[in-house]
Amino acid sequence: MTAPRVVVAGGHSAGHIEPMMNFADALRRLEPMAEITALGTVRGLDTTLIPARGYPLELIPPVPLPRKLNRALLQTPGRLRDSVRAAGAVLDRVRAEVVVGFGGYVAMPAYLAARQQGLPIVVHEANARPGVANRVAARMTTHVFTAAPSVRLAHATAIGIPLRPAITGLDRPALRHAARQRFGLRPDRPVLMATGGSQGARTINTAVAGAAPALRANGVQVLHITGPQHGVEVPDGDPPYVVVSYVDEMHYAYAAADFVICRSGAMTCAELAAVGLPAAYVPLPQRGGEQRLNAEPVVAAGGALLVDNADLDPAWIETTLIPVLTDSQRIAAMSANTWAVGAPDADVVLARHVLTAVTERRRSAS
């Protein structure tokens, strides 16, 4: 097979860009000569995250779309037409053979341009509640893939979310000792990791820091990733309570931890399931409860707890979470239940589907 020419579209947020780049990496592993071009816009994280992963980025005009099919969607035809034209020019220039979309501002123009040119469209939806671009695209193609079977999308097949090999290949027990040394944690006490994601979460920070005396009294260590805009002050003591603003290589944090308290973004849920880390999920109380939906499969499987943002405080940690953290048998059972929900090969599965779509297009053209 000569080098496939693939255009990927999924910009604005890390939740779209990260699985897109993980898929691209997997495609490169299967077909090292593959020509992969990313479509993006000047809004969001496209110009920061995509070039850093080593892929060429072509910019088109952004067209923010409402998450619902309503009157606001009908007010954007002019901007959408210009963006579709720009996307089509990129497809022509790179001689694209397939468009793979992951949602976000850039996806809709890419889908429409691909349809105009008769190119196969492949859709991946990472969230429990699909956005409007992927809902529209799912009616244009049968190549539709989702994070979980519960995602309602036409023609969907559940495969999980493409993740980095550093996560899917992580051997937590093998790396645990070195990871704990890296953060200044003891090897013989349970570790709670607290994180609000890349930007941090004030509710989680305040609750966990406020519970520090109770956690220490029960022998629980803490690795607290506060986010760059937040900070907490916890007195020195034993067991250690380690505070960092950011962790660049999260697989070390995952290896050090026994349990996590965190938001339930789609990528977070997928990564924790892939490495078998149980969690207390605190869904972000916005966007119609989407984060709660992300956490529900692993909660139902017995691998996680769920607590509303309004209910999370030091008292909840002391009365509900600490009894779990200090029960090694329960932690082991929850870890196994979490791991059973994971889908560590989604990146390769999606890459193979895309290569098949390219092969089928070439066969029909010949």
Side-chain angles (χ1 to χ4, degrees):
M1 182 177 183
T2 57
R5 299 182 297 277
V6 180
V7 168
V8 294
H12 186 66
S13 71
H16 293 126
I17 297 171
E18 184 70 14
M20 180 177 74
M21 293 290 92
N22 295 337
F23 153 75
D25 289 346
L27 186 63
R28 279 268 174 87
R29 292 196 301 274
L30 294 178
E31 288 288 341
M33 300 305 293
E35 299 175 13
I36 304 171
T37 303
L39 281 181
T41 73
V42 294
R43 299 185 62 166
L45 300 174
D46 304 23
T47 57
T48 301
L49 298 182
I50 294 173
R53 295 287 286 265
Y55 292 95
L57 173 64
E58 295 279 351
L59 298 177
I60 64 174
V63 185
L65 295 173
R67 293 181 64 81
K68 296 181 179 180
L69 296 169
N70 56 22
R71 183 177 298 177
L73 181 62
L74 302 178
Q75 297 173 347
T76 61
R79 287 183 297 170
L80 183 59
R81 184 171 54 250
D82 293 342
S83 193
V84 171
R85 186 180 297 114
V90 174
L91 299 183
D92 286 336
R93 186 161 58 252
V94 302
R95 296 183 300 131
E97 296 179 285
V98 62
V99 168
V100 188
F102 294 80
Y105 291 162
V106 73
M108 181 69 88
Y111 294 144
L112 294 176
R115 188 177 191 183
Q116 287 178 354
Q117 297 190 13
L119 298 177
I121 297 169
V122 179
V123 177
H124 184 274
E125 178 58 63
N127 293 303
R129 183 169 289 154
V132 65
N134 279 355
R135 280 186 283 152
V136 171
R139 300 172 185 175
M140 304 179 187
T141 178
T142 58
H143 303 296
V144 181
F145 304 95
T146 61
S150 59
V151 181
R152 295 181 179 180
L153 206 57
H155 308 119
T157 300
I159 62 169
I161 299 177
L163 302 173
R164 291 167 291 153
I167 300 299
T168 58
L170 176 62
D171 185 336
R172 286 176 53 226
L175 190 59
R176 180 173 291 122
H177 183 73
R180 291 190 175 184
Q181 280 189 322
R182 185 185 186 95
F183 293 111
L185 297 164
R186 291 173 55 168
D188 58 345
R189 297 285 184 90
V191 174
L192 170 67
M193 183 177 83
T195 175
S198 60
Q199 300 304 311
R202 187 181 304 278
T203 301
I204 294 175
N205 288 344
T206 301
V208 177
L215 289 162
R216 278 199 172 122
N218 286 275
V220 178
Q221 306 178 92
V222 177
L223 173 59
H224 194 151
I225 308 170
T226 62
Q229 305 301 319
H230 302 276
V232 298
E233 293 185 7
V234 177
D236 292 337
D238 189 64
Y241 190 117
V242 178
V243 179
V244 295
S245 63
Y246 181 76
V247 173
D248 185 49
E249 297 177 290
M250 279 299 292
H251 59 286
Y252 284 105
Y254 291 160
D258 295 297
F259 201 96
V260 183
I261 183 168
C262 58
R263 295 297 192 199
S264 50
M267 287 297 295
T268 298
C269 292
E271 289 190 351
L272 295 185
V275 303
L277 254 177
Y281 287 115
V282 189
L284 188 69
Q286 296 175 3
R287 297 182 67 175
E290 180 179 290
Q291 285 205 354
R292 174 177 287 272
L293 297 176
N294 292 335
E296 283 180 350
V298 69
V299 173
L305 307 176
L306 192 64
V307 55
D308 287 340
N309 192 76
D311 295 334
L312 179 64
D313 58 17
W316 184 89
I317 292 174
E318 185 170 356
T319 60
T320 302
L321 186 55
I322 287 177
V324 177
L325 299 175
T326 54
D327 185 341
S328 60
Q329 290 186 341
R330 185 171 179 186
I331 292 289
M334 292 181 72
S335 179
N337 293 337
T338 301
W339 186 83
V341 176
D345 61 346
D347 57 341
V348 174
V349 170
L350 184 59
R352 286 176 175 154
H353 278 294
V354 170
L355 291 175
T356 298
V358 172
T359 300
E360 290 175 348
R361 179 177 185 273
R362 291 179 176 181
R363 185 179 298 123
S364 63
S366 63

